[in-house]
Structures are given as structure tokens and as C-alpha cells.
Amino acid sequence: MFPASMRRLARLARLGALLAATSAAMAAPRGASTGDMEGFSPSAAAVEAALEQRFDAGLSAQEQRDWMQSMSSEPNHVGSAHDKANAEFMLRKFREWGWDASIETFMVLYPTPRDLAVELVAPTHFSARLREPPVEGDATSEKTRDELPPYNVYGADGDITAELVYVNQGTLEDYKELDRQGVSVKGRIVIVRYGGGWRGLKPKLAYEHGAVGCLIFSDPRDDGYGAGDVYPKGGYRPPDGVQRGSVQDMTLYSGDPLTPGMGATPGAKRLTRAEAKTLMKIPVLPISYADAEPLLAALGGRVAPPAWRGGLALTYHLGPGPAKVRLKVLSDWNQKPIYDVIATLRGAVEPDRWIIRGNHHDAWVFGATDPLSGNVALMSEAEAIGKLAAQGWRPRRSIVYTSWDGEEPGLLGSTEWVETHAAELKAKAALYINSDTNGRGLISVEGSHGLRHFASQVARDVGDPETGVSVLARSLAAERVQSYEGGGRPADGSGDLPLGALGSGSDYTPFLQHLGINSLNLGFGGETQYGVYHSAYDSFDHFRRFGDPTFEYGVALAKVSGRLVLRAAQAELLPERAADFANSVGVFTEELHKLADGMRASSRELDQLLDDGVFGPATDPSRPRTAPQRESAVPFLEFAELDTAVEKLKQSAKAFDIEYLRLCSAADAGAALERERMNAALTSLEQTLLDARGLPGRAWYQHMIFAPGAHTGYGAKTLPGIREAIEDRRWNEANQYVGIVAHALNAYGARLDAAIAAQ
Ligand SMILES: [Zn+2]
């Protein structure tokens, strides 16, 4: 899938040239002698630094290149022969490298298309091609025999003919605007462009507004010729390139649609398809801009608002009609096996504390960038750690390397594994580190904010392959330049990486948001030409030209992720800087105050405009636009309990961080015991943020601080129970979740207090 941070990276990438010019003035990564590592005493940090030098020596760009070439040589979607072969290849490798490895198999609902058609039946006739022809210079694009045609997995079956309506990106705001323009989608097929949120929300909102079918196209403005030269000249989406993808409603739960909350083992009790809430209710297909163009050109009705117009050389009309379209989707609704590769290196001192590292291995077609670019870095790490073990080294805590299957259809492999082993993971998992796509550019890290300083120190100690400065220095420089140029928020002066909040879109979701396991997600990117997302052109030949030609960013990812794993496994104290978490929650809370205040002011203004009757006279009488609906008044919410909890948490965090630093290097007789007590508290600290009732209408999501937005899908919502209640004007629920979130923050603070209480 697609990390939400890619857009941020693309903006940052434009600053590349500037950075190169100033790089001489910037700090190079520190060498092996550095002593400052979170959770380590100075002497242990020196040992760790030496270990990391040996780890680095075990990484190979050439191997990553070879693995990617062979693993992306055939289609490797769920259920394909090559997907299974790749899992077995990794199993052999992990064992060869000394890991205790196995494949864990689950049976999941995975429909595959049998009969697809998109036809314009009026006013003229056109049959959509619905496939991706070979491209010159791309060896695998000719291997179409085993690939699935472009489709959206978990869309409904159907064969319908109806008038077409253009709905822009198909967001709630877009439907409000359509309503004011007097256009209804009831009984019609919508054509919607990618962008503006998780693709699964497009058919979902279309259905909720009465549409009977949904076509999603890639507008060339976004990742085609509007972004750069198209493949094979450049790396952007060619006219026939299609973005496949899942449309299961992951805002409710991820994983196999038939086994929510439990592992999809052979004997598991399954829902019927009719009972599964995450399956889409209407047929939906993704199409290329070559196929979309004749459909859009045949639309009449009003001209679309300026912000709705894309990059095609035609006038974008809303419809409905006269374009009439037939959409046919028939699938085989079978269960298919998925193959998770799980490899363990048992800890010598604390074997029941696990540091888990994961990336997925399944793709939509060949998947060189998504996901193999991240997966081959993970393999490099496993090999290098295996070499350390072969020399007699053992980690302090257990290390678990995982390569997930079935991520693309809906985080199936990770979710089913997490659900199957939930009790053990809640007891043992201290940290989950995820990656997915990777390529040239800047690092992006998202995750639990108590890990911010830990992740930043690792970025400080790894060099950027092209500029010679540290990965951290590049990121901080870009943040400052971007802020100066008006595109971003100012750096906070901490010298640490900006850490994004986790929404969804990759395998950390079940770990963090279902089980409350501390998580990080990371990758390099933004300086690639990646316009072939989820198409057959996401290939080895594309990656070696436009992704990471030297594979040095694959090595850099392995250096960063490997250090995160090794430090978390080796440190005397598990990573945590509580003040960073407390301050972040403070910022989120301030945002909620501003959100409610802003909505109150805006609703009052709207009331005044409606009372004064200005919408009528303001509109063009020949193309009238009706007034917006009056909104419910925004009350003053009962934030006091939350504000109090945040202040209290800040106090607890401050005391905890002081004691944490002392304990790192304390050598007195009781110190070891105190450290053990602190580690026990830290292992499951994040779980204090769960509430067993979950979020409103989606009990599977139990984390009270981070969730994917119900109306955004990929994008994170912080303090989601409160924030989404405010956004949806459910005031009682907002007040109720103030209490629930305050309770969770108090539990987190109490755990910090207990960890440092004198015995
Ligand atoms: Zn992916």
C-alpha cells in the first residue's frame, strides 16, 4: 500500500538541490565512538556502536538487487505460485542465516476477477481496454500470462448499465458540492479520480449516496504526464497504467473480512459474505486515463468546478449523462492461502521480550517498489544479524523478523498473525518496526511519539548515501527550508526528526491500533519517479532506473531499521522519552480546542449568511447553486478533564525521564532490579492507551490516541474518539470520549509513576 507520508516526501524532495549546496556545512554521521544512545550506559553504548559497525559490514546492495530481480520476476499477488515461491525462498534464506524460521499459513477470502467489462453504450460506443500492454525496455511487462487484470479486490459482483456522473475525488465535501449544484448520483454510476483519501472510501461514499457502481481512474495530473515524463521515458504513469487496490472497508477492521478479531486458521468460525461488514456493496473497477478519457469526454451537464478539473485535454463536465455506461464485475469468491514468514533469534537475557520487524512480500503484480524495495532491505538486516549470531553473538532480548503475505488486499497476513497470537504478543512484544516501499530521498518516520528521540539518534548515526551528511541532518535541513518557503510547520528546535502520527496503509495497524504495541514505520523516498503505483509497471526495470539505481537507499534503510532493532534488543532500558509523548498529546489537545472553536465561528457565520439570505443573490441565475444546509450549533465542550489529564501526564513524564536517565548509567546494587522493573513497565506501556470498547462504531480499533480516519482511511486522526465526534457534530459522544481519553492518559501516567516509585 501507500504510506501517507509519501506526499510529504515529494514536497521535501523539491528541496534536494538546495540541500546538496549546503551539505558541506552540515554534520556527518557520528562514527563508532559515539556514546549517547537512549537506554544505554556509556560503556554499553560503545559496545553497541562496535556491534553496529560489524552489522553494517554484513549488508550488500548487490544482494538486494539480485533478490529483488528474482522475487519480482513473476506476478506475486495472493494465491499466485510465485507468491508462495517467494515465501519459501525467504524461509530457506532465514534458515541458512541461522534463524529459527517457519511459514505460518492462513486461509483468507480473496476474490479474483473472472469477467470484467466497462463500455460506453451512449451517446457513442467505446469498450475500455482494461489491461496494461507491454512497455519497451521493461522485461516483465510482457509476462502477462499469470497476472490478474486490474481490479479492486472486495468490490461487489454486478452487471449494470446506468448514466454516468463525475464526482471529483468522491469525498463527503465533493458530495455536498454536487448537491448544491443540483446533481444526484442516485441510481447512477460515478466516475471518481484517485486522491483525497483511502480508495475504499470512494465506492463506500458513492453507495451511501445512492450510486449503483463506481469507476476510479488515475488522473494524469497526479501521477501521469502532469507529474513528469511517463514510463518508459520517465517513471510516471503511462496512459494504460492502472492503480489496482483494495476497497475493503478497513476503517472498521483490517484483515480477512470473514474473521474479524480472530485468526483465519482452518477451523476458525467464519462470517458469511453477507455478514462481513468490510465488503463493498456495489461493483467497482479501477481504470487507466486512456480508458477514462472517452467516458469523461461523453459527459454533458455543468462544467465541473475549477478545483475538480484534472490533467486531461478535455472540459470536465459533471453529467449526469448523456454518457451511459455498462459496468460488469464477476469474481471467483474463493478462499486462498497466505504465507507469513516468521523468523526468531532467541534472546539470551530477556527471551520473553520481543522486538519485531516486518515488511510485506505480496504485491499487486511484480511489486518491485511496493513492497520488495523494503522487503529486500529487511532480508539484508536478517542476513547481517545472522552473521553476528554465527560469530557467537546473542541478542539480549528476542528478535523476530517477519515477512507478511496478503498486505495489499487489506493487511491480511499481519492482522491474522496478530489476532492469532494476541495474548502472547500483549505479554511479550515491546516494539514493532515496519517498512514498506523505499527509494531515493529523505527518511520519513512515523509512530509512537515516545520513540521520537530514539529514532532520531539512529538517523543521526547513519549517513545519507548521496550527500554525505547524516540522514537526520538532511531531514532537519529540509524541514527548515520547507518552513521558510511556506510549505510546512516550523522545526521545533529539538534537533529531533519530525515524527508523523500513524494512520493506516501498512502492517503496523494491527500491532498499534488493535493490540497497543509500540510501533514505528519508516522508509526513504521522495526523490524517485514513482508514478506506477499498483500497476504492472512497478517492475525491476522501473526500479533500477527510477527508484534506487544503486540500491544504496536499500542499504541505508537496512542500516536505520537494523539499528532500531539492535538498540531496542540490546539497551539496558527499552526506548522511551515520555515528555515527547506528553507534549505531542498536548499539541493534539490544543488542536481539538481550535477545531471546535473554528467550527463554532464558521457555523455562526453560516447562520448569519442564511438569515441575511445572501446565497440567492450571490449565485449566477443561469447556473444556480443552492445554499448550504444550516448546521447544528457548536456547544462549548467539556474539555476540562482532558486538559487536566494532559497537565498531569506532563508532570509524570518529566519525573520519569529524569529517573530513566539516572537508571541508564546507575551502577549501585539495586540498579539492575530497578531497570528490570522499568523494562517490565515499558514493555506494555502503550497498552494503557487502549480502551476495550474501541472507537465509536469500530470496536476493533482500540487505541485512543491514533487511528486511521473514518473519512480519510490512510490519514491519521489523533485522539480520534473526540476528534471525529466533533467533525461529525456528535456532541454528546465528543464529551463522552473526553472522559475515555483522559482515563487512558491517566493510566499511561500512572504506569510511568509506578515505574519509578521507590520500593
Ligand atoms: Zn506495500
Side-chain angles (χ1 to χ4, degrees):
M1 291 197 188
F2 203 55
S5 55
M6 288 295 275
R7 221 163 297 123
R8 188 182 82 85
L9 285 173
R11 283 203 309 273
L12 290 176
R14 293 198 292 269
L15 309 167
L18 248 164
L19 286 168
T22 57
S23 64
M26 308 190 40
R30 299 208 199 163
S33 62
T34 180
D36 179 20
M37 282 186 200
E38 186 167 292
F40 286 86
S41 65
S43 60
V47 173
E48 170 67 17
L51 182 77
E52 289 172 5
Q53 296 301 308
R54 286 161 60 205
F55 168 81
D56 286 354
L59 305 172
S60 158
Q62 182 60 43
E63 277 183 339
Q64 289 193 23
R65 185 188 163 97
D66 294 343
W67 294 331
M68 179 187 282
Q69 187 164 18
S70 77
M71 293 177 79
S72 66
S73 61
E74 301 284 339
N76 49 62
H77 54 271
V78 167
S80 65
H82 198 61
D83 176 64
K84 183 168 188 244
N86 280 344
E88 287 165 350
F89 170 68
M90 281 187 280
L91 177 67
R92 282 198 305 278
K93 285 288 174 194
F94 279 120
R95 286 181 173 165
E96 195 181 303
W97 298 329
W99 293 76
D100 180 8
S102 60
I103 288 179
E104 198 161 331
T105 305
F106 298 98
M107 289 300 289
V108 294
L109 180 69
Y110 184 76
T112 48
R114 180 155 47 85
D115 195 358
L116 306 176
V118 174
E119 283 173 76
L120 183 67
V121 297
T124 53
H125 191 270
F126 163 76
S127 281
R129 173 139 60 163
L130 305 182
R131 57 187 184 82
E132 301 177 298
V135 158
E136 196 173 333
D138 185 292
T140 52
S141 68
E142 290 171 12
K143 295 192 182 179
T144 52
R145 195 173 45 104
D146 294 325
E147 83 182 42
L148 295 171
Y151 81 118
N152 288 127
V153 66
Y154 303 122
D157 279 2
D159 184 354
I160 46 173
T161 302
E163 283 183 315
L164 195 64
V165 180
Y166 175 55
V167 299
N168 192 32
Q169 295 178 323
T171 64
L172 274 177
E173 288 306 310
D174 291 337
Y175 283 102
K176 280 187 195 160
E177 178 60 31
L178 271 183
D179 195 40
R180 295 186 62 192
Q181 301 264 1
V183 176
S184 163
V185 302
K186 220 172 214 117
R188 294 173 170 136
I189 295 172
V190 302
I191 183 164
V192 50
R193 58 180 173 146
Y194 272 115
W198 160 242
R199 94 175 60 68
L201 292 168
K202 297 170 188 287
K204 182 186 183 186
L205 289 172
Y207 166 74
E208 287 173 2
H209 286 83
V212 294
C214 179
L215 295 171
I216 315 177
F217 74 103
S218 298
D219 196 286
R221 191 186 68 175
D222 300 327
D223 62 4
Y225 54 73
D229 288 323
V230 304
Y231 198 52
K233 185 183 179 204
Y236 290 94
R237 196 175 296 277
D240 290 304
V242 184
Q243 181 190 139
R244 292 157 182 77
S246 178
V247 292
Q248 79 156 258
D249 190 359
M250 282 214 328
T251 62
L252 296 177
Y253 58 86
S254 65
D256 175 27
L258 303 185
T259 59
M262 69 180 89
T265 51
K269 194 171 155 9
R270 283 167 165 78
L271 302 177
T272 64
R273 274 166 54 197
E275 291 167 331
K277 290 206 174 65
T278 55
L279 296 177
M280 211 39 67
K281 304 289 190 298
I282 55 174
V284 43
L285 268 191
I287 58 175
S288 66
Y289 56 87
D291 278 341
E293 188 161 21
L295 308 183
L296 290 165
L299 278 174
R302 289 191 181 184
V303 174
W308 291 30
R309 299 168 200 164
L312 289 167
L314 54 85
T315 303
Y316 286 65
H317 287 263
L318 298 178
K324 213 174 195 189
V325 166
R326 178 187 181 202
L327 167 61
K328 182 181 181 186
V329 182
L330 296 176
S331 300
D332 288 320
W333 288 82
N334 302 334
Q335 288 184 24
K336 310 270 192 319
I338 53 171
Y339 306 98
D340 288 342
V341 187
I342 313 290
T344 305
L345 196 60
R346 194 176 152 82
V349 183
E350 301 170 43
D352 288 337
R353 295 210 175 100
W354 296 358
I355 309 303
I356 308 173
R357 165 85 173 98
N359 198 104
H360 70 102
H361 67 80
D362 67 299
W364 276 110
V365 191
F366 305 104
T369 291
D370 183 4
L372 294 173
S373 58
N375 195 73
V376 296
L378 175 146
M379 290 173 68
S380 267
E381 297 159 40
E383 182 183 25
I385 291 173
K387 282 181 187 162
L388 297 177
Q391 295 159 12
W393 172 82
R394 283 289 174 276
R396 176 187 180 94
R397 306 186 178 95
S398 293
I399 298 177
V400 183
Y401 265 65
T402 60
S403 185
W404 309 116
D405 200 353
E407 188 269 1
E408 291 297 355
L411 321 181
L412 307 185
S414 55
T415 302
E416 299 314 318
W417 190 76
V418 160
E419 290 175 343
T420 301
H421 303 285
E424 189 172 20
L425 288 167
K426 280 194 158 190
K428 298 179 179 173
L431 178 60
Y432 175 68
I433 299 163
N434 189 72
S435 61
D436 196 323
T437 64
N438 194 62
R440 291 182 61 247
L442 301 172
I443 197 162
S444 162
V445 186
E446 302 163 311
S448 311
H449 288 73
L451 300 172
R452 183 183 178 196
H453 189 60
F454 170 64
S456 301
Q457 285 188 329
V458 166
R460 174 200 67 193
D461 294 340
V462 173
D464 174 71
E466 295 186 14
T467 62
V469 305
S470 77
V471 162
L472 174 66
R474 267 204 99 182
S475 176
L476 293 179
E479 192 185 21
R480 291 176 61 190
V481 172
Q482 196 180 9
S483 169
Y484 167 72
E485 293 181 345
R489 67 176 149 192
D492 66 1
S494 67
D496 282 341
L497 284 172
L499 200 77
L502 284 169
S504 193
S506 198
D507 292 303
Y508 50 79
T509 277
F511 287 92
L512 178 69
Q513 292 148 355
H514 187 53
L515 288 196
I517 292 165
N518 225 355
S519 297
L520 286 170
N521 181 50
L522 72 154
F524 289 86
E527 292 170 353
T528 61
Q529 290 187 39
Y530 190 51
V532 295
Y533 172 59
H534 287 187
S535 76
Y537 309 122
D538 182 348
S539 64
F540 178 74
D541 282 325
H542 184 281
F543 188 81
R544 68 175 176 79
R545 292 181 61 199
F546 304 112
D548 178 16
T550 63
F551 285 75
E552 283 303 329
Y553 281 91
V555 171
L557 176 60
K559 285 182 181 174
V560 174
S561 308
R563 274 169 175 71
L564 291 170
V565 168
L566 289 173
R567 290 186 191 184
Q570 296 302 93
E572 283 115 318
L573 290 174
L574 285 164
E576 167 76 1
R577 190 181 267 195
D580 284 343
F581 174 71
N583 290 334
S584 294
V585 174
V587 171
F588 304 153
T589 301
E590 273 169 43
E591 288 168 5
L592 293 186
H593 281 271
K594 283 190 192 138
L595 174 66
D597 291 346
M599 284 172 67
R600 187 176 305 109
S602 152
S603 290
R604 281 180 182 157
E605 186 182 0
L606 177 61
D607 280 346
Q608 194 63 55
L609 296 179
L610 290 168
D611 290 347
D612 294 348
V614 298
F615 284 97
T619 195
D620 175 350
S622 70
R623 317 165 17 101
R625 202 163 153 252
T626 59
Q629 306 253 327
R630 201 175 283 271
E631 295 167 340
S632 66
V634 181
F636 285 91
L637 296 167
E638 296 155 18
F639 279 129
E641 203 181 343
L642 178 64
D643 295 338
T644 306
V646 170
E647 283 317 304
K648 206 166 148 231
L649 176 63
K650 284 182 180 172
Q651 295 308 316
S652 296
K654 203 169 162 188
F656 175 88
D657 288 345
I658 291 169
E659 176 63 8
Y660 182 98
L661 277 182
R662 186 193 71 80
L663 260 189
C664 273
S665 26
D668 54 283
L673 213 62
E674 285 182 89
R675 279 195 283 266
E676 171 54 30
R677 189 155 57 100
M678 185 173 274
N679 281 330
L682 287 174
T683 301
S684 56
L685 175 64
E686 192 80 6
Q687 288 174 43
T688 59
L689 301 172
L690 300 184
D691 188 282
R693 289 162 289 187
L695 292 172
R698 41 188 190 139
W700 189 88
Y701 284 97
Q702 298 193 350
H703 203 294
M704 291 298 113
I705 312 299
F706 304 113
H711 303 310
T712 57
Y714 284 139
K717 292 281 178 178
T718 56
L719 312 183
I722 311 171
R723 190 182 297 265
E724 293 195 323
I726 295 174
E727 288 171 348
D728 294 345
R729 310 178 95 83
R730 300 189 299 258
W731 312 119
N732 289 338
E733 188 183 288
N735 286 328
Q736 182 201 346
Y737 271 84
V738 163
I740 293 172
V741 172
H743 184 266
L745 295 177
N746 287 335
Y748 191 98
R751 178 71 66 86
L752 295 177
D753 295 344
I756 62 170
Q759 284 291 47

